[in-house]
Amino acid sequence: MPRGCSRGPAAGDGRLRLARLALVLLGWVSSSSPTSLASSSSSSSAPFLASAASAQPPLPDQCPALCECSEAARTVKCVNRNLTEVPTDLPPYVRNLFLTGNQLAVLPAGAFARRPPLAELAALNLSGSRLDEVRAGAFEHLPSLRQLDLSHNPLAYLSPFAFSGSNASISAPSPLVELILNHIVPPDDKRQNRSFEGMVAAALVAGRALQGLHRLELASNHFLYLPRDVLAQLPSLGHLDLSNNSLVSLTYVSFRNLTHLESLHLEDNALKVLHNGTLAELQGLPHVKVFLDNNPWVCDCHMADMVTWLKQTEVVQGKDRLTCAFPEKMRNRVLLELNSADLDCDPILPPSLQTSYVFLGIVLALIGAIFLLVLYLNRKGIKKWMHNIRDACRDHMEGYHYRYEINADPRLTNLSSNSDV
Ligand SMILES: *[C@@H]1O[C@H](CO)[C@@H](O)[C@H](O)[C@H]1NC(C)=O
Ligand SMILES: *[C@@H]1O[C@H](CO)[C@@H](O)[C@H](O)[C@H]1NC(C)=O
Ligand SMILES: *[C@@H]1O[C@H](CO)[C@@H](O)[C@H](O)[C@H]1NC(C)=O
Ligand SMILES: *[C@@H]1O[C@H](CO)[C@@H](O)[C@H](O)[C@H]1NC(C)=O
Ligand SMILES: *[C@@H]1O[C@H](CO)[C@@H](O)[C@H](O)[C@H]1NC(C)=O
Ligand SMILES: *[C@@H]1O[C@H](CO)[C@@H](O)[C@H](O)[C@H]1NC(C)=O
Ligand SMILES: *[C@@H]1O[C@H](CO)[C@@H](O)[C@H](O)[C@H]1NC(C)=O
């Protein structure tokens, strides 16, 4: 901020500062007058706003530098501008705010808190803005925020209170209806020690703030598992996108209470099979469509229940596209065309090879038995042979002892060397 830095002597500076203080106070009084309905609700946050809202209340026709504003469309776009912080002077009419393709790095508490608040802001797009840290209460004081897109930011740190207000125990429910968190996984070297899945889950469940959330997108995040309690805390979900992750199993996830669920995207994961419990839960949801393409289904005996279910259910979209990935002999077989006879549990050996191994075992056992019989019949000859060997050994050992003793006795050594003289 260039304020007053190039002005004259200190006395003039002081007077200027006084005048500015008076102006700020005036602005505060006028903005908290009862004509401004929305600001009265946020007056409890005055101390923390003082730092964020250093700017004057913006004029209605004002537009932040490097942004494009349309009052008619109630839209502000600050796109691909390399902004390093959220503009302070956003116009109060803004309903759709695009802050994509910037270099924001950190979203501090109250990053969008303004006086008066941005009461109209409903859709906020922060996609691809190099955010790596979203702090507690970053979206506080946005009473109408329905849609938030944080995709394509390497979020090494997402505060558990990012969506719930910095004090979850007293925060009101979040107004969010759509939360888009695709590809927010940071590169491996930037990851905290705790699991990324756990960090995201903590932010989704904190303070039960997201009870009204209808759409949640978590695609392309390398999720290895879905933390157990996440879905239980999001009862209004209608659309859940978990595609392009690394989910191996859904055994510990419960969909039972998601009665509003309409679409469940699980394409491009690492699912091997769905078990009875999961199948029953999905079948119990009244409106759901499930997408399961491009998973490495394992077609052994554990697949039998799922195949039976697939043949009957209408829940799975494009169920005729699902194919086996393992074992080798089943690769690319269509799940719907399998019978229980195709599904056996010998993942290592195909049945033909299995019988040949049994045959080999029998032959080896026979050879062993014949060998023992030959030994038994020749038992006398063998005994004699053993004796011979033992005798030979004994002779040899005695000779060795004798020589050793001779060499080891110093007197004998002396004797022999003296006798030479
Ligand atoms: C943003 O930064 C990139 C490289 O850091 C540069 O190529 C681009 O021109 C910058 N864009 C603007 C609008 O300054
Ligand atoms: C947010 O902006 C990105 C980049 O322009 C776009 O791809 C994405 O669809 C937008 N998100 C929403 C919810 O409109
Ligand atoms: C949250 O608010 C409650 C009640 O005002 C207070 O007791 C608690 O210490 C606060 N927690 C934090 C983390 O500020
Ligand atoms: C992660 O753990 C390693 C050792 O296991 C430690 O040196 C490092 O400081 C930890 N990093 C963080 C961010 O906690
Ligand atoms: C799937 O996720 C990976 C990494 O998360 C990403 O690089 C890739 O572009 C994603 N694919 C699609 C089709 O979104
Ligand atoms: C489902 O809801 C019922 C009643 O609301 C509750 O008792 C149960 O714990 C919930 N189950 C799960 C898995 O969230
Ligand atoms: C799964 O359910 C079917 C039908 O309800 C049943 O026949 C089958 O034995 C069950 N499978 C397991 C592994 O419990």
Side-chain angles (χ1 to χ4, degrees), residues 210-243:
L210 296 174
Q211 299 273 308
L213 198 65
H214 186 66
R215 175 185 295 274
L216 176 60
E217 297 187 11
L218 287 167
S220 307
N221 280 321
H222 293 183
F223 272 22
L224 290 172
Y225 67 99
L226 187 63
R228 183 189 273 263
D229 52 345
V230 173
L231 299 184
Q233 304 286 345
L234 302 172
S236 308
L237 272 191
H239 302 278
L240 176 59
D241 188 349
L242 287 163
S243 59

mmCIF file of all heavy atoms in Angstrom, residues 210-243:
data_model
loop_
_atom_site.group_PDB
_atom_site.id
_atom_site.type_symbol
_atom_site.label_atom_id
_atom_site.label_comp_id
_atom_site.label_asym_id
_atom_site.label_seq_id
_atom_site.Cartn_x
_atom_site.Cartn_y
_atom_site.Cartn_z
ATOM 1 N N LEU A 210 -21.860 -29.358 6.876
ATOM 2 C CA LEU A 210 -22.238 -29.569 5.478
ATOM 3 C C LEU A 210 -23.463 -30.480 5.344
ATOM 4 O O LEU A 210 -23.569 -31.255 4.396
ATOM 5 C CB LEU A 210 -21.046 -30.143 4.703
ATOM 6 C CG LEU A 210 -19.837 -29.206 4.602
ATOM 7 C CD1 LEU A 210 -18.658 -29.896 3.945
ATOM 8 C CD2 LEU A 210 -20.196 -27.942 3.830
ATOM 9 N N GLN A 211 -24.376 -30.351 6.270
ATOM 10 C CA GLN A 211 -25.576 -31.198 6.248
ATOM 11 C C GLN A 211 -26.428 -30.941 5.007
ATOM 12 O O GLN A 211 -27.217 -31.777 4.614
ATOM 13 C CB GLN A 211 -26.419 -30.927 7.496
ATOM 14 C CG GLN A 211 -25.705 -31.232 8.797
ATOM 15 C CD GLN A 211 -25.849 -32.675 9.208
ATOM 16 O OE1 GLN A 211 -26.951 -33.183 9.275
ATOM 17 N NE2 GLN A 211 -24.740 -33.336 9.466
ATOM 18 N N GLY A 212 -26.282 -29.768 4.404
ATOM 19 C CA GLY A 212 -27.107 -29.439 3.239
ATOM 20 C C GLY A 212 -26.423 -29.715 1.908
ATOM 21 O O GLY A 212 -26.987 -29.422 0.854
ATOM 22 N N LEU A 213 -25.229 -30.284 1.942
ATOM 23 C CA LEU A 213 -24.463 -30.472 0.706
ATOM 24 C C LEU A 213 -25.149 -31.481 -0.219
ATOM 25 O O LEU A 213 -25.467 -32.595 0.188
ATOM 26 C CB LEU A 213 -23.052 -30.959 1.038
ATOM 27 C CG LEU A 213 -22.026 -30.790 -0.070
ATOM 28 C CD1 LEU A 213 -21.782 -29.326 -0.358
ATOM 29 C CD2 LEU A 213 -20.715 -31.476 0.299
ATOM 30 N N HIS A 214 -25.343 -31.081 -1.480
ATOM 31 C CA HIS A 214 -26.055 -31.935 -2.426
ATOM 32 C C HIS A 214 -25.105 -32.573 -3.447
ATOM 33 O O HIS A 214 -25.360 -33.670 -3.935
ATOM 34 C CB HIS A 214 -27.118 -31.112 -3.152
ATOM 35 C CG HIS A 214 -28.001 -31.928 -4.040
ATOM 36 N ND1 HIS A 214 -28.884 -32.884 -3.565
ATOM 37 C CD2 HIS A 214 -28.143 -31.951 -5.395
ATOM 38 C CE1 HIS A 214 -29.527 -33.450 -4.574
ATOM 39 N NE2 HIS A 214 -29.087 -32.904 -5.696
ATOM 40 N N ARG A 215 -24.032 -31.865 -3.810
ATOM 41 C CA ARG A 215 -23.078 -32.414 -4.774
ATOM 42 C C ARG A 215 -21.667 -32.333 -4.197
ATOM 43 O O ARG A 215 -21.254 -31.263 -3.723
ATOM 44 C CB ARG A 215 -23.133 -31.638 -6.090
ATOM 45 C CG ARG A 215 -22.082 -32.067 -7.115
ATOM 46 C CD ARG A 215 -22.091 -31.202 -8.342
ATOM 47 N NE ARG A 215 -23.336 -31.339 -9.091
ATOM 48 C CZ ARG A 215 -23.554 -32.283 -10.016
ATOM 49 N NH1 ARG A 215 -22.604 -33.139 -10.329
ATOM 50 N NH2 ARG A 215 -24.707 -32.356 -10.630
ATOM 51 N N LEU A 216 -20.956 -33.453 -4.244
ATOM 52 C CA LEU A 216 -19.576 -33.479 -3.774
ATOM 53 C C LEU A 216 -18.729 -34.184 -4.824
ATOM 54 O O LEU A 216 -18.990 -35.338 -5.171
ATOM 55 C CB LEU A 216 -19.485 -34.224 -2.437
ATOM 56 C CG LEU A 216 -18.079 -34.429 -1.864
ATOM 57 C CD1 LEU A 216 -17.380 -33.100 -1.610
ATOM 58 C CD2 LEU A 216 -18.142 -35.230 -0.558
ATOM 59 N N GLU A 217 -17.734 -33.475 -5.333
ATOM 60 C CA GLU A 217 -16.847 -34.076 -6.341
ATOM 61 C C GLU A 217 -15.443 -34.205 -5.767
ATOM 62 O O GLU A 217 -14.847 -33.222 -5.322
ATOM 63 C CB GLU A 217 -16.822 -33.218 -7.620
ATOM 64 C CG GLU A 217 -18.180 -33.148 -8.282
ATOM 65 C CD GLU A 217 -18.150 -32.446 -9.636
ATOM 66 O OE1 GLU A 217 -17.044 -32.197 -10.171
ATOM 67 O OE2 GLU A 217 -19.244 -32.133 -10.139
ATOM 68 N N LEU A 218 -14.939 -35.432 -5.778
ATOM 69 C CA LEU A 218 -13.623 -35.732 -5.209
ATOM 70 C C LEU A 218 -12.803 -36.548 -6.199
ATOM 71 O O LEU A 218 -12.000 -37.389 -5.802
ATOM 72 C CB LEU A 218 -13.790 -36.515 -3.908
ATOM 73 C CG LEU A 218 -14.288 -35.751 -2.680
ATOM 74 C CD1 LEU A 218 -14.698 -36.714 -1.571
ATOM 75 C CD2 LEU A 218 -13.219 -34.800 -2.169
ATOM 76 N N ALA A 219 -12.980 -36.280 -7.479
ATOM 77 C CA ALA A 219 -12.302 -37.097 -8.491
ATOM 78 C C ALA A 219 -10.803 -36.796 -8.540
ATOM 79 O O ALA A 219 -10.358 -35.719 -8.145
ATOM 80 C CB ALA A 219 -12.928 -36.834 -9.859
ATOM 81 N N SER A 220 -10.026 -37.792 -9.011
ATOM 82 C CA SER A 220 -8.584 -37.627 -9.295
ATOM 83 C C SER A 220 -7.767 -37.188 -8.093
ATOM 84 O O SER A 220 -6.934 -36.289 -8.180
ATOM 85 C CB SER A 220 -8.367 -36.608 -10.431
ATOM 86 O OG SER A 220 -9.125 -36.954 -11.546
ATOM 87 N N ASN A 221 -8.009 -37.787 -6.951
ATOM 88 C CA ASN A 221 -7.295 -37.389 -5.738
ATOM 89 C C ASN A 221 -6.418 -38.489 -5.137
ATOM 90 O O ASN A 221 -5.966 -38.358 -3.995
ATOM 91 C CB ASN A 221 -8.291 -36.917 -4.684
ATOM 92 C CG ASN A 221 -8.743 -35.493 -4.934
ATOM 93 O OD1 ASN A 221 -7.933 -34.656 -5.331
ATOM 94 N ND2 ASN A 221 -10.012 -35.226 -4.745
ATOM 95 N N HIS A 222 -6.192 -39.571 -5.880
ATOM 96 C CA HIS A 222 -5.370 -40.684 -5.369
ATOM 97 C C HIS A 222 -5.927 -41.267 -4.079
ATOM 98 O O HIS A 222 -5.159 -41.851 -3.307
ATOM 99 C CB HIS A 222 -3.917 -40.239 -5.118
ATOM 100 C CG HIS A 222 -3.166 -39.891 -6.354
ATOM 101 N ND1 HIS A 222 -1.849 -39.531 -6.350
ATOM 102 C CD2 HIS A 222 -3.537 -39.846 -7.643
ATOM 103 C CE1 HIS A 222 -1.448 -39.268 -7.587
ATOM 104 N NE2 HIS A 222 -2.469 -39.444 -8.378
ATOM 105 N N PHE A 223 -7.205 -41.106 -3.811
ATOM 106 C CA PHE A 223 -7.770 -41.693 -2.580
ATOM 107 C C PHE A 223 -7.589 -43.211 -2.597
ATOM 108 O O PHE A 223 -7.995 -43.871 -3.541
ATOM 109 C CB PHE A 223 -9.272 -41.392 -2.491
ATOM 110 C CG PHE A 223 -9.606 -40.096 -1.813
ATOM 111 C CD1 PHE A 223 -8.691 -39.071 -1.728
ATOM 112 C CD2 PHE A 223 -10.856 -39.916 -1.231
ATOM 113 C CE1 PHE A 223 -9.000 -37.872 -1.103
ATOM 114 C CE2 PHE A 223 -11.185 -38.726 -0.601
ATOM 115 C CZ PHE A 223 -10.254 -37.701 -0.534
ATOM 116 N N LEU A 224 -6.998 -43.740 -1.522
ATOM 117 C CA LEU A 224 -6.869 -45.192 -1.388
ATOM 118 C C LEU A 224 -8.077 -45.773 -0.681
ATOM 119 O O LEU A 224 -8.405 -46.937 -0.814
ATOM 120 C CB LEU A 224 -5.619 -45.541 -0.567
ATOM 121 C CG LEU A 224 -4.286 -45.272 -1.249
ATOM 122 C CD1 LEU A 224 -3.149 -45.486 -0.266
ATOM 123 C CD2 LEU A 224 -4.129 -46.187 -2.448
ATOM 124 N N TYR A 225 -8.745 -44.945 0.104
ATOM 125 C CA TYR A 225 -9.931 -45.399 0.822
ATOM 126 C C TYR A 225 -10.814 -44.189 1.083
ATOM 127 O O TYR A 225 -10.363 -43.041 0.955
ATOM 128 C CB TYR A 225 -9.539 -46.078 2.134
ATOM 129 C CG TYR A 225 -8.933 -45.136 3.151
ATOM 130 C CD1 TYR A 225 -9.711 -44.622 4.186
ATOM 131 C CD2 TYR A 225 -7.602 -44.742 3.080
ATOM 132 C CE1 TYR A 225 -9.167 -43.750 5.115
ATOM 133 C CE2 TYR A 225 -7.051 -43.866 3.999
ATOM 134 C CZ TYR A 225 -7.844 -43.389 5.014
ATOM 135 O OH TYR A 225 -7.325 -42.509 5.942
ATOM 136 N N LEU A 226 -12.046 -44.468 1.428
ATOM 137 C CA LEU A 226 -12.967 -43.399 1.776
ATOM 138 C C LEU A 226 -13.193 -43.483 3.281
ATOM 139 O O LEU A 226 -13.700 -44.492 3.759
ATOM 140 C CB LEU A 226 -14.280 -43.596 1.034
ATOM 141 C CG LEU A 226 -15.291 -42.465 1.161
ATOM 142 C CD1 LEU A 226 -14.739 -41.188 0.565
ATOM 143 C CD2 LEU A 226 -16.583 -42.845 0.473
ATOM 144 N N PRO A 227 -12.780 -42.463 4.036
ATOM 145 C CA PRO A 227 -12.933 -42.568 5.490
ATOM 146 C C PRO A 227 -14.377 -42.865 5.867
ATOM 147 O O PRO A 227 -15.318 -42.328 5.286
ATOM 148 C CB PRO A 227 -12.486 -41.201 5.986
ATOM 149 C CG PRO A 227 -11.516 -40.746 4.957
ATOM 150 C CD PRO A 227 -12.064 -41.236 3.651
ATOM 151 N N ARG A 228 -14.510 -43.729 6.839
ATOM 152 C CA ARG A 228 -15.760 -44.357 7.188
ATOM 153 C C ARG A 228 -16.897 -43.380 7.502
ATOM 154 O O ARG A 228 -18.021 -43.570 7.046
ATOM 155 C CB ARG A 228 -15.493 -45.235 8.412
ATOM 156 C CG ARG A 228 -16.629 -46.034 8.906
ATOM 157 C CD ARG A 228 -16.213 -46.648 10.230
ATOM 158 N NE ARG A 228 -15.531 -47.913 10.022
ATOM 159 C CZ ARG A 228 -16.141 -49.085 10.113
ATOM 160 N NH1 ARG A 228 -17.400 -49.162 10.392
ATOM 161 N NH2 ARG A 228 -15.476 -50.197 9.922
ATOM 162 N N ASP A 229 -16.608 -42.318 8.268
ATOM 163 C CA ASP A 229 -17.718 -41.504 8.774
ATOM 164 C C ASP A 229 -18.116 -40.370 7.840
ATOM 165 O O ASP A 229 -19.083 -39.677 8.099
ATOM 166 C CB ASP A 229 -17.364 -40.948 10.158
ATOM 167 C CG ASP A 229 -16.017 -40.238 10.149
ATOM 168 O OD1 ASP A 229 -15.266 -40.436 9.187
ATOM 169 O OD2 ASP A 229 -15.722 -39.495 11.091
ATOM 170 N N VAL A 230 -17.393 -40.188 6.734
ATOM 171 C CA VAL A 230 -17.677 -39.041 5.865
ATOM 172 C C VAL A 230 -19.127 -39.034 5.395
ATOM 173 O O VAL A 230 -19.850 -38.049 5.565
ATOM 174 C CB VAL A 230 -16.735 -39.045 4.647
ATOM 175 C CG1 VAL A 230 -17.141 -37.967 3.667
ATOM 176 C CG2 VAL A 230 -15.320 -38.808 5.096
ATOM 177 N N LEU A 231 -19.565 -40.162 4.825
ATOM 178 C CA LEU A 231 -20.891 -40.180 4.217
ATOM 179 C C LEU A 231 -21.997 -40.071 5.261
ATOM 180 O O LEU A 231 -23.049 -39.505 4.991
ATOM 181 C CB LEU A 231 -21.063 -41.437 3.375
ATOM 182 C CG LEU A 231 -20.065 -41.552 2.215
ATOM 183 C CD1 LEU A 231 -20.362 -42.774 1.380
ATOM 184 C CD2 LEU A 231 -20.084 -40.308 1.360
ATOM 185 N N ALA A 232 -21.736 -40.579 6.454
ATOM 186 C CA ALA A 232 -22.743 -40.492 7.507
ATOM 187 C C ALA A 232 -23.033 -39.040 7.880
ATOM 188 O O ALA A 232 -24.126 -38.706 8.329
ATOM 189 C CB ALA A 232 -22.283 -41.268 8.730
ATOM 190 N N GLN A 233 -22.041 -38.151 7.659
ATOM 191 C CA GLN A 233 -22.218 -36.742 8.027
ATOM 192 C C GLN A 233 -22.762 -35.905 6.872
ATOM 193 O O GLN A 233 -22.901 -34.689 7.009
ATOM 194 C CB GLN A 233 -20.871 -36.146 8.464
ATOM 195 C CG GLN A 233 -20.199 -36.891 9.587
ATOM 196 C CD GLN A 233 -20.880 -36.626 10.907
ATOM 197 O OE1 GLN A 233 -21.655 -35.699 11.043
ATOM 198 N NE2 GLN A 233 -20.609 -37.470 11.886
ATOM 199 N N LEU A 234 -23.001 -36.518 5.719
ATOM 200 C CA LEU A 234 -23.462 -35.754 4.548
ATOM 201 C C LEU A 234 -24.796 -36.327 4.058
ATOM 202 O O LEU A 234 -24.896 -36.854 2.953
ATOM 203 C CB LEU A 234 -22.403 -35.818 3.437
ATOM 204 C CG LEU A 234 -21.003 -35.310 3.799
ATOM 205 C CD1 LEU A 234 -20.018 -35.608 2.681
ATOM 206 C CD2 LEU A 234 -21.022 -33.819 4.093
ATOM 207 N N PRO A 235 -25.842 -36.198 4.860
ATOM 208 C CA PRO A 235 -27.088 -36.929 4.580
ATOM 209 C C PRO A 235 -27.852 -36.430 3.353
ATOM 210 O O PRO A 235 -28.702 -37.141 2.847
ATOM 211 C CB PRO A 235 -27.913 -36.701 5.843
ATOM 212 C CG PRO A 235 -27.402 -35.416 6.400
ATOM 213 C CD PRO A 235 -25.942 -35.382 6.083
ATOM 214 N N SER A 236 -27.553 -35.213 2.856
ATOM 215 C CA SER A 236 -28.336 -34.676 1.732
ATOM 216 C C SER A 236 -27.719 -34.980 0.377
ATOM 217 O O SER A 236 -28.233 -34.525 -0.641
ATOM 218 C CB SER A 236 -28.471 -33.159 1.868
ATOM 219 O OG SER A 236 -28.959 -32.824 3.137
ATOM 220 N N LEU A 237 -26.598 -35.713 0.355
ATOM 221 C CA LEU A 237 -25.881 -35.904 -0.912
ATOM 222 C C LEU A 237 -26.777 -36.476 -2.003
ATOM 223 O O LEU A 237 -27.446 -37.483 -1.801
ATOM 224 C CB LEU A 237 -24.704 -36.856 -0.716
ATOM 225 C CG LEU A 237 -23.374 -36.261 -0.296
ATOM 226 C CD1 LEU A 237 -22.294 -37.318 -0.427
ATOM 227 C CD2 LEU A 237 -23.028 -35.034 -1.102
ATOM 228 N N GLY A 238 -26.749 -35.832 -3.166
ATOM 229 C CA GLY A 238 -27.449 -36.344 -4.334
ATOM 230 C C GLY A 238 -26.467 -36.859 -5.379
ATOM 231 O O GLY A 238 -26.769 -37.784 -6.124
ATOM 232 N N HIS A 239 -25.281 -36.246 -5.425
ATOM 233 C CA HIS A 239 -24.283 -36.625 -6.422
ATOM 234 C C HIS A 239 -22.921 -36.742 -5.739
ATOM 235 O O HIS A 239 -22.474 -35.791 -5.101
ATOM 236 C CB HIS A 239 -24.207 -35.579 -7.533
ATOM 237 C CG HIS A 239 -25.522 -35.372 -8.215
ATOM 238 N ND1 HIS A 239 -25.974 -36.196 -9.217
ATOM 239 C CD2 HIS A 239 -26.502 -34.463 -8.001
ATOM 240 C CE1 HIS A 239 -27.172 -35.796 -9.609
ATOM 241 N NE2 HIS A 239 -27.514 -34.741 -8.878
ATOM 242 N N LEU A 240 -22.323 -37.898 -5.889
ATOM 243 C CA LEU A 240 -21.010 -38.121 -5.299
ATOM 244 C C LEU A 240 -20.082 -38.648 -6.385
ATOM 245 O O LEU A 240 -20.356 -39.678 -7.003
ATOM 246 C CB LEU A 240 -21.121 -39.129 -4.153
ATOM 247 C CG LEU A 240 -19.816 -39.545 -3.475
ATOM 248 C CD1 LEU A 240 -19.085 -38.347 -2.889
ATOM 249 C CD2 LEU A 240 -20.090 -40.574 -2.374
ATOM 250 N N ASP A 241 -18.999 -37.915 -6.641
ATOM 251 C CA ASP A 241 -18.053 -38.315 -7.680
ATOM 252 C C ASP A 241 -16.722 -38.704 -7.047
ATOM 253 O O ASP A 241 -16.017 -37.852 -6.493
ATOM 254 C CB ASP A 241 -17.854 -37.154 -8.666
ATOM 255 C CG ASP A 241 -17.036 -37.578 -9.887
ATOM 256 O OD1 ASP A 241 -16.454 -38.694 -9.865
ATOM 257 O OD2 ASP A 241 -16.973 -36.799 -10.857
ATOM 258 N N LEU A 242 -16.419 -39.986 -7.122
ATOM 259 C CA LEU A 242 -15.153 -40.503 -6.597
ATOM 260 C C LEU A 242 -14.349 -41.133 -7.723
ATOM 261 O O LEU A 242 -13.483 -41.987 -7.479
ATOM 262 C CB LEU A 242 -15.435 -41.547 -5.516
ATOM 263 C CG LEU A 242 -15.955 -40.998 -4.185
ATOM 264 C CD1 LEU A 242 -16.573 -42.110 -3.358
ATOM 265 C CD2 LEU A 242 -14.827 -40.340 -3.413
ATOM 266 N N SER A 243 -14.601 -40.730 -8.951
ATOM 267 C CA SER A 243 -13.932 -41.389 -10.074
ATOM 268 C C SER A 243 -12.443 -41.033 -10.117
ATOM 269 O O SER A 243 -12.009 -40.045 -9.527
ATOM 270 C CB SER A 243 -14.605 -40.990 -11.388
ATOM 271 O OG SER A 243 -14.560 -39.598 -11.554
#
